Structures are given as C-alpha cells and as structure tokens.
Amino acid sequence: MTPRPSLGLRARLLSAFALLSVVTAAAVAGAIYVAARNDILQRAQDAAVRATKSQLEGLFPLRSAEPCPDELRGIANKMTEENVRAMAIYRGAYSTGDPAPADPPSGSPGLRRQGGNTPVVDPEMLPLSLRREVAGGNVAWQRVVVWQGAPYLLIGAPLLIAEPDGTARMSGIEVYVLHSLQPEQHSIDGLATSAWLTGGAGLAFAVVLALLATRGVLRPVRELGRAARLLGEGELRTRIAVTGSDELADVAHTFNNTAAELERHVEQLRQMEADARRFVADVSHELRTPLAALAAVADVLDEEAAHLPEPAGRAARLVSQETLSLTGLVNDLIEISRFDSGVAALALNEVDVAELVRATLRSRGWSESVETELPAGVPARLDPRRVDVILANLVGNALRHGEPPVSVRLAADPYWVTLEVRDNGPGLDEAVLPRVFDRFYKASAARARSEGSGLGLAIALENARLHRGDLTVSNVPDGGARFTLRLPRDLDGGPE
C-alpha cells in the first residue's frame, strides 16, 4: 500500500498557528460574549423590575377593593408605555392597556398584537410558575420568547390595598407587564458580530505571523537539507553559514563539525586506500622481473621433471605450477591497479563477435567442452583483448565450478551485444550472488588454495564497465548459474 503523503512542515506550522488562533479567539470572544450578554440582560431586567415597582407604588390608593372592568383597564393603561404592555387580572377577569388589541397572529395562541408588531400579554401566555409566585404575594419575573423569536421580560406583581390602620393587604389584583428586550438583543447581536470580526482579524493576523515564523524557521532547515544532500553526493567541503545563537544555530554548528570530521576521516581513508593501491602496484611491478626469471627456470624444471627421481620430480612440478599461479596473480594485480589508477584504456577494433568467441574457446582448448549458439554477422567495435579476458574468466569459472554442459549464447540488437555463459551445476547460493564480483572473494573457504586468485570476475566486471556495458549473474530456475555480459555495439554512435 502506498503511504499517504504527509503535510509539509510549512503547512503543519500554518495549521497549528491557525488552529491556536481560532481556539483562542473563540474562547476569549465566547467568554466576553457570554459575560457581556448576561450583564446586558441583567441590567435591562433590573431596570425593568425597578420601573415596574415604581409604577405599582404610584397606583396607591386604590379606589375600590373590587375593581370593575374600567378600573382594571385604567390600571393596565397606567402601566402601559412604549415597548411595555400591561395586563391587570382580578378573579378571572382581565384587561389590557390601550390601544385595543387586534386578533392574534395565525398559529400563535395566547398572543395578540398591539400597535403594529408589538405583542401584548394574554392570560394564556402566563407561565404557571409565575402566576403561583404572584398569587403568593411576591414580585416575580421571567424571560420569555412570545413572538417571532423576539425576547421579552414578563414581570408579575400583586397589588396591595391600604387598610385604615395603615397596614397593607392583598387586593387580589395581579398586574403583568411585558417589557421588550429587542434593543438589548440588537446590542448582543452587534457584540456577536464584533466578536466574529475580531476573530477573523485575529486569524488573518495569526496566518501572517505564521508565514513570517515559518519563513524564519524553514530557511535554515532548507539550508540544512541542501547541505546534507550535497554532503551525501560527496561534496565534503559543504558547510552551513551560522547565524544567531538559538537551537537552529546549534544544529548548524553540529552539522559543520560533523562534516569537518567526516571530511577528515574520508581523506584519511582515501590516502590509506591510495597508499595500499600504490603498494600493490609497486610490489606487483617489482615482482614481475624476478617472476619472469622464475618462469624460465620453472619451464626447464617442468621439462626435466619426468627424468628426475621422486620426490625431486614431484617438487619440480610443484615449483613450476606455483610459479605459474604466482605469475597469474601478479598479472591480475597489475591489471587491477591500472583500473584503480584510471589508466586502463580501450583499443577498439571492428570485430565479428561470434568469431571472437570461437577464438577465445579455441586458444584455450575449450571448443569441444563448450556448447555455442553464435549467429553469424554480428559486428561490433570492441577491445578484443579485454573481451577475451572477460570470456576466459566466465567460461573458465563455469568449467571449474559448475557442471556440464557449459554453453555460450550470443544475441544482438541494433545497439547492444549480449553474451550469456551458463552451466548446469547447482547454481550459486543466494548469499553469494551479491558478492560474486568482489575482489579476492571465493564462495567456499575450501577453495582458498585453488588455482584462482579471486580477481578474475572483478577484472571481468571492470572490463565490461570500461566498455560502458554491464556484467550480471543469476541462477537459472532449472539449475545452474548464468552470467550475462551486455556491451554496446558502437561506443562512438550507440546509446549511452
């Protein structure tokens, strides 16, 4: 499953700043809004209750303990003013303040309009709890929504009547006053709008701050990423300019110190590697002259070995064999040193690849031991000597370590030549395959004293790369190892 691409650091920082701004603005604005709303409504409520009590005190003395409908209407009219509607109730009879009420709106029982869109109180709209409080002789109030979702404050109070002795008693008259809270609601709505606008402005400001902050943070991070990429590509002199003294500056200091240490260690390793290669090359060249003399002596000993008594004859043959092996090892080391020093070069010639393969097999006496599939007419510009070295190593390994039959197959297209060398042995262990072309690597410790130097396949790979080609190895499903050599047919005009 393909992993989902994650958000970049800039996007995450912007999101975090925006989320923090929204949460903070919402919390602060919400708290201010709730506090201001409660304060506004409480002030309006307290003012309305005080005004109602003051108006009720102005109704003393009542002319009759049992008011008639006209007297109830007069009480309601005295309590009615702009944005305030009143109703007086006595023993089931009630009267509202002038002007006379109109029919209630459709779908709103217990509610009537007065003076256009101003609602008036009606006994059906009075909450039961409020009526109980008023009947018990208390002044009570309650916020209600009675018409078109508008808020109102409903205040109820009992009227008292004065006794001759100066005391007051319940008259049985209840007065209910409906105060409009629409002006306060408009103030609260304006406060909410201001809170939203302030939150939006805060969010925009937070985004601007986030952009500035991310720019300051991401610039050194990008510089660090660029420097790490260059360092990974081998630019060991890469350093970061250090500015400031914050955590990012500490990271830059650490990177520069690490890069300096890495450069120093790599230079030491390169120097050690160069010294080792030079030592191998020098020793190989120095051994070449005495080995040439030893080879001549070995030839003489090999010819005379049959006439010498044992064990002198066996010793002579052993000296001859080991001299030839040492000569081959020195020649391989000299060849490897040429590749390492970069002085190896190609001597290109137009050759028939099939004929080149036959010549390699014929010169080593392998023509009868190797099956071939070599189509005619496959010319290519190659270095015949180096291709011969590659084939000799591949076929020689297949004959020594594989099982017959060993085969060589040639295939070609307009740009590439492919040579496949295969045996029918058990194949190579999977752990061995990645290391087959390593220098001095032998798949079996038991072959440590075999006739091979462990450099043949490494030299074959270097020769293939010198041709801008490739050499690979794999196991065949039905048994055996397969080496595949791909070379361009024309280094001057073929594809890279």
Side-chain angles (χ1 to χ4, degrees), residues 423-459:
D423 67 71
N424 282 271
L428 296 171
D429 191 274
E430 293 297 327
V432 173
L433 286 175
R435 303 192 59 190
V436 163
F437 298 104
D438 291 354
R439 297 178 184 182
F440 298 107
Y441 179 75
K442 295 181 180 181
S444 173
R447 295 199 290 114
R449 284 292 302 146
S450 66
E451 64 274 18
S453 65
L455 292 174
L457 291 178
I459 292 174

Short mmCIF file of all heavy atoms in Angstrom, two decimals, residues 423-459:
data_model
loop_
_atom_site.label_atom_id
_atom_site.label_comp_id
_atom_site.label_asym_id
_atom_site.label_seq_id
_atom_site.Cartn_x
_atom_site.Cartn_y
_atom_site.Cartn_z
N ASP A 423 26.11 -22.67 -16.96
CA ASP A 423 26.44 -24.06 -16.67
C ASP A 423 25.20 -24.75 -16.12
O ASP A 423 24.17 -24.13 -15.94
CB ASP A 423 27.62 -24.15 -15.68
CG ASP A 423 27.25 -23.63 -14.31
OD1 ASP A 423 26.47 -24.28 -13.61
OD2 ASP A 423 27.75 -22.52 -13.94
N ASN A 424 25.30 -26.02 -15.85
CA ASN A 424 24.16 -26.81 -15.36
C ASN A 424 24.43 -27.38 -13.98
O ASN A 424 23.91 -28.45 -13.64
CB ASN A 424 23.82 -27.92 -16.35
CG ASN A 424 23.06 -27.40 -17.55
OD1 ASN A 424 21.84 -27.33 -17.55
ND2 ASN A 424 23.80 -27.01 -18.58
N GLY A 425 25.22 -26.66 -13.20
CA GLY A 425 25.50 -27.11 -11.84
C GLY A 425 24.39 -26.73 -10.88
O GLY A 425 23.28 -26.35 -11.27
N PRO A 426 24.67 -26.78 -9.58
CA PRO A 426 23.65 -26.44 -8.58
C PRO A 426 23.37 -24.95 -8.46
O PRO A 426 22.44 -24.55 -7.76
CB PRO A 426 24.27 -26.97 -7.27
CG PRO A 426 25.74 -26.94 -7.51
CD PRO A 426 25.93 -27.25 -8.97
N GLY A 427 24.15 -24.13 -9.14
CA GLY A 427 23.96 -22.69 -9.04
C GLY A 427 24.70 -22.12 -7.84
O GLY A 427 25.43 -22.81 -7.12
N LEU A 428 24.53 -20.84 -7.62
CA LEU A 428 25.20 -20.14 -6.54
C LEU A 428 24.23 -19.89 -5.39
O LEU A 428 23.04 -19.66 -5.61
CB LEU A 428 25.75 -18.79 -7.03
CG LEU A 428 26.85 -18.88 -8.09
CD1 LEU A 428 27.13 -17.49 -8.65
CD2 LEU A 428 28.12 -19.46 -7.51
N ASP A 429 24.74 -19.93 -4.19
CA ASP A 429 23.91 -19.63 -3.02
C ASP A 429 23.45 -18.18 -3.09
O ASP A 429 24.19 -17.29 -3.56
CB ASP A 429 24.73 -19.87 -1.75
CG ASP A 429 23.85 -19.83 -0.52
OD1 ASP A 429 23.64 -18.71 -0.01
OD2 ASP A 429 23.38 -20.90 -0.08
N GLU A 430 22.22 -17.94 -2.62
CA GLU A 430 21.67 -16.59 -2.69
C GLU A 430 22.53 -15.59 -1.93
O GLU A 430 22.58 -14.41 -2.28
CB GLU A 430 20.24 -16.58 -2.14
CG GLU A 430 19.24 -17.34 -2.99
CD GLU A 430 19.08 -16.73 -4.37
OE1 GLU A 430 19.20 -15.49 -4.49
OE2 GLU A 430 18.87 -17.49 -5.33
N ALA A 431 23.19 -16.04 -0.86
CA ALA A 431 24.05 -15.14 -0.09
C ALA A 431 25.33 -14.81 -0.85
O ALA A 431 25.99 -13.80 -0.55
CB ALA A 431 24.39 -15.76 1.27
N VAL A 432 25.69 -15.63 -1.82
CA VAL A 432 26.93 -15.44 -2.58
C VAL A 432 26.72 -14.47 -3.74
O VAL A 432 27.64 -13.72 -4.11
CB VAL A 432 27.45 -16.80 -3.08
CG1 VAL A 432 28.64 -16.62 -4.01
CG2 VAL A 432 27.83 -17.68 -1.89
N LEU A 433 25.54 -14.47 -4.33
CA LEU A 433 25.28 -13.70 -5.55
C LEU A 433 25.71 -12.23 -5.46
O LEU A 433 26.36 -11.72 -6.38
CB LEU A 433 23.80 -13.79 -5.94
CG LEU A 433 23.34 -15.13 -6.52
CD1 LEU A 433 21.83 -15.12 -6.75
CD2 LEU A 433 24.07 -15.41 -7.83
N PRO A 434 25.38 -11.51 -4.36
CA PRO A 434 25.77 -10.08 -4.33
C PRO A 434 27.27 -9.86 -4.25
O PRO A 434 27.74 -8.75 -4.50
CB PRO A 434 25.07 -9.56 -3.06
CG PRO A 434 24.02 -10.56 -2.72
CD PRO A 434 24.56 -11.86 -3.19
N ARG A 435 28.07 -10.91 -3.91
CA ARG A 435 29.50 -10.72 -3.68
C ARG A 435 30.37 -11.44 -4.71
O ARG A 435 31.59 -11.50 -4.56
CB ARG A 435 29.87 -11.22 -2.28
CG ARG A 435 29.09 -10.54 -1.15
CD ARG A 435 29.70 -10.87 0.19
NE ARG A 435 31.10 -10.45 0.26
CZ ARG A 435 31.93 -10.78 1.23
NH1 ARG A 435 31.50 -11.57 2.22
NH2 ARG A 435 33.18 -10.36 1.23
N VAL A 436 29.75 -11.95 -5.76
CA VAL A 436 30.49 -12.73 -6.74
C VAL A 436 31.61 -11.90 -7.37
O VAL A 436 32.71 -12.42 -7.64
CB VAL A 436 29.52 -13.26 -7.82
CG1 VAL A 436 30.28 -13.70 -9.06
CG2 VAL A 436 28.71 -14.41 -7.27
N PHE A 437 31.36 -10.60 -7.59
CA PHE A 437 32.35 -9.78 -8.29
C PHE A 437 33.29 -9.04 -7.33
O PHE A 437 34.05 -8.18 -7.77
CB PHE A 437 31.64 -8.78 -9.21
CG PHE A 437 30.82 -9.44 -10.28
CD1 PHE A 437 29.43 -9.50 -10.18
CD2 PHE A 437 31.43 -10.03 -11.38
CE1 PHE A 437 28.68 -10.11 -11.17
CE2 PHE A 437 30.68 -10.65 -12.37
CZ PHE A 437 29.30 -10.69 -12.26
N ASP A 438 33.22 -9.35 -6.03
CA ASP A 438 34.13 -8.72 -5.08
C ASP A 438 35.55 -9.27 -5.28
O ASP A 438 35.74 -10.44 -5.64
CB ASP A 438 33.70 -9.00 -3.64
CG ASP A 438 32.41 -8.27 -3.28
OD1 ASP A 438 31.95 -7.47 -4.12
OD2 ASP A 438 31.89 -8.50 -2.18
N ARG A 439 36.51 -8.43 -5.00
CA ARG A 439 37.90 -8.84 -5.15
C ARG A 439 38.30 -9.84 -4.07
O ARG A 439 37.93 -9.68 -2.90
CB ARG A 439 38.83 -7.62 -5.08
CG ARG A 439 38.58 -6.63 -6.21
CD ARG A 439 39.46 -5.41 -6.09
NE ARG A 439 39.14 -4.43 -7.12
CZ ARG A 439 39.79 -3.28 -7.28
NH1 ARG A 439 40.77 -2.96 -6.45
NH2 ARG A 439 39.44 -2.45 -8.25
N PHE A 440 39.02 -10.87 -4.47
CA PHE A 440 39.53 -11.93 -3.59
C PHE A 440 38.42 -12.70 -2.89
O PHE A 440 38.68 -13.38 -1.90
CB PHE A 440 40.49 -11.35 -2.52
CG PHE A 440 41.71 -10.70 -3.11
CD1 PHE A 440 41.84 -9.32 -3.11
CD2 PHE A 440 42.72 -11.46 -3.67
CE1 PHE A 440 42.95 -8.71 -3.66
CE2 PHE A 440 43.85 -10.86 -4.20
CZ PHE A 440 43.96 -9.48 -4.21
N TYR A 441 37.20 -12.59 -3.42
CA TYR A 441 36.09 -13.33 -2.77
C TYR A 441 35.97 -14.70 -3.41
O TYR A 441 35.97 -14.84 -4.64
CB TYR A 441 34.77 -12.58 -2.93
CG TYR A 441 33.60 -13.32 -2.31
CD1 TYR A 441 33.44 -13.35 -0.92
CD2 TYR A 441 32.69 -14.01 -3.09
CE1 TYR A 441 32.40 -14.03 -0.34
CE2 TYR A 441 31.64 -14.70 -2.51
CZ TYR A 441 31.49 -14.70 -1.13
OH TYR A 441 30.46 -15.39 -0.57
N LYS A 442 35.89 -15.72 -2.53
CA LYS A 442 35.68 -17.09 -3.00
C LYS A 442 34.49 -17.65 -2.24
O LYS A 442 34.37 -17.51 -1.02
CB LYS A 442 36.91 -17.95 -2.76
CG LYS A 442 38.12 -17.47 -3.59
CD LYS A 442 39.34 -18.34 -3.37
CE LYS A 442 40.51 -17.83 -4.20
NZ LYS A 442 41.72 -18.68 -4.03
N ALA A 443 33.58 -18.27 -2.99
CA ALA A 443 32.33 -18.72 -2.40
C ALA A 443 32.54 -19.77 -1.34
O ALA A 443 31.78 -19.89 -0.40
CB ALA A 443 31.40 -19.26 -3.50
N SER A 444 33.60 -20.53 -1.42
CA SER A 444 33.83 -21.62 -0.46
C SER A 444 35.21 -21.46 0.15
O SER A 444 36.20 -21.24 -0.55
CB SER A 444 33.71 -22.98 -1.13
OG SER A 444 34.08 -24.02 -0.24
N ALA A 445 35.26 -21.54 1.49
CA ALA A 445 36.56 -21.46 2.16
C ALA A 445 37.45 -22.63 1.79
O ALA A 445 38.67 -22.56 1.87
CB ALA A 445 36.35 -21.41 3.68
N ALA A 446 36.84 -23.73 1.36
CA ALA A 446 37.62 -24.90 0.97
C ALA A 446 38.42 -24.64 -0.29
O ALA A 446 39.35 -25.37 -0.59
CB ALA A 446 36.69 -26.10 0.77
N ARG A 447 38.04 -23.60 -1.07
CA ARG A 447 38.76 -23.31 -2.30
C ARG A 447 39.78 -22.20 -2.10
O ARG A 447 40.19 -21.55 -3.04
CB ARG A 447 37.76 -22.89 -3.39
CG ARG A 447 36.81 -23.98 -3.79
CD ARG A 447 36.16 -23.70 -5.14
NE ARG A 447 35.22 -22.60 -5.09
CZ ARG A 447 35.38 -21.45 -5.71
NH1 ARG A 447 36.47 -21.23 -6.39
NH2 ARG A 447 34.46 -20.52 -5.66
N ALA A 448 40.17 -21.95 -0.85
CA ALA A 448 41.10 -20.86 -0.60
C ALA A 448 42.45 -21.08 -1.27
O ALA A 448 43.15 -20.15 -1.58
CB ALA A 448 41.29 -20.68 0.92
N ARG A 449 42.80 -22.35 -1.47
CA ARG A 449 44.07 -22.65 -2.13
C ARG A 449 43.85 -23.19 -3.54
O ARG A 449 44.63 -23.97 -4.04
CB ARG A 449 44.85 -23.69 -1.32
CG ARG A 449 45.49 -23.13 -0.08
CD ARG A 449 46.61 -22.17 -0.41
NE ARG A 449 47.63 -22.82 -1.22
CZ ARG A 449 48.33 -22.22 -2.16
NH1 ARG A 449 48.10 -20.95 -2.45
NH2 ARG A 449 49.25 -22.87 -2.85
N SER A 450 42.76 -22.77 -4.15
CA SER A 450 42.50 -23.20 -5.53
C SER A 450 43.39 -22.43 -6.48
O SER A 450 44.08 -21.49 -6.10
CB SER A 450 41.02 -22.99 -5.88
OG SER A 450 40.73 -21.61 -5.89
N GLU A 451 43.30 -22.83 -7.76
CA GLU A 451 44.19 -22.20 -8.73
C GLU A 451 43.80 -20.77 -9.06
O GLU A 451 44.58 -20.02 -9.65
CB GLU A 451 44.20 -23.04 -10.03
CG GLU A 451 42.86 -23.11 -10.76
CD GLU A 451 41.97 -24.22 -10.22
OE1 GLU A 451 42.21 -24.71 -9.10
OE2 GLU A 451 41.01 -24.59 -10.94
N GLY A 452 42.60 -20.35 -8.69
CA GLY A 452 42.16 -18.98 -8.97
C GLY A 452 42.70 -18.01 -7.94
O GLY A 452 42.98 -18.35 -6.80
N SER A 453 42.81 -16.73 -8.36
CA SER A 453 43.30 -15.68 -7.47
C SER A 453 42.17 -14.95 -6.76
O SER A 453 42.41 -14.20 -5.81
CB SER A 453 44.13 -14.66 -8.27
OG SER A 453 43.28 -13.99 -9.21
N GLY A 454 40.94 -15.14 -7.21
CA GLY A 454 39.82 -14.38 -6.65
C GLY A 454 39.67 -13.01 -7.27
O GLY A 454 38.88 -12.20 -6.81
N LEU A 455 40.43 -12.73 -8.34
CA LEU A 455 40.36 -11.43 -9.01
C LEU A 455 39.76 -11.53 -10.41
O LEU A 455 39.50 -10.49 -11.03
CB LEU A 455 41.77 -10.82 -9.12
CG LEU A 455 42.42 -10.39 -7.81
CD1 LEU A 455 43.86 -9.96 -8.07
CD2 LEU A 455 41.64 -9.25 -7.18
N GLY A 456 39.56 -12.75 -10.90
CA GLY A 456 39.13 -12.91 -12.29
C GLY A 456 37.80 -12.24 -12.58
O GLY A 456 37.66 -11.47 -13.56
N LEU A 457 36.76 -12.50 -11.77
CA LEU A 457 35.45 -11.90 -12.02
C LEU A 457 35.46 -10.40 -11.77
O LEU A 457 34.74 -9.64 -12.45
CB LEU A 457 34.39 -12.58 -11.15
CG LEU A 457 34.06 -14.02 -11.52
CD1 LEU A 457 33.04 -14.60 -10.56
CD2 LEU A 457 33.55 -14.10 -12.95
N ALA A 458 36.26 -9.92 -10.80
CA ALA A 458 36.38 -8.48 -10.58
C ALA A 458 36.98 -7.80 -11.80
O ALA A 458 36.53 -6.72 -12.23
CB ALA A 458 37.23 -8.21 -9.33
N ILE A 459 38.01 -8.42 -12.39
CA ILE A 459 38.62 -7.86 -13.61
C ILE A 459 37.63 -7.92 -14.77
O ILE A 459 37.54 -6.98 -15.58
CB ILE A 459 39.92 -8.63 -13.94
CG1 ILE A 459 40.98 -8.34 -12.87
CG2 ILE A 459 40.44 -8.26 -15.32
CD1 ILE A 459 42.24 -9.16 -13.02
#
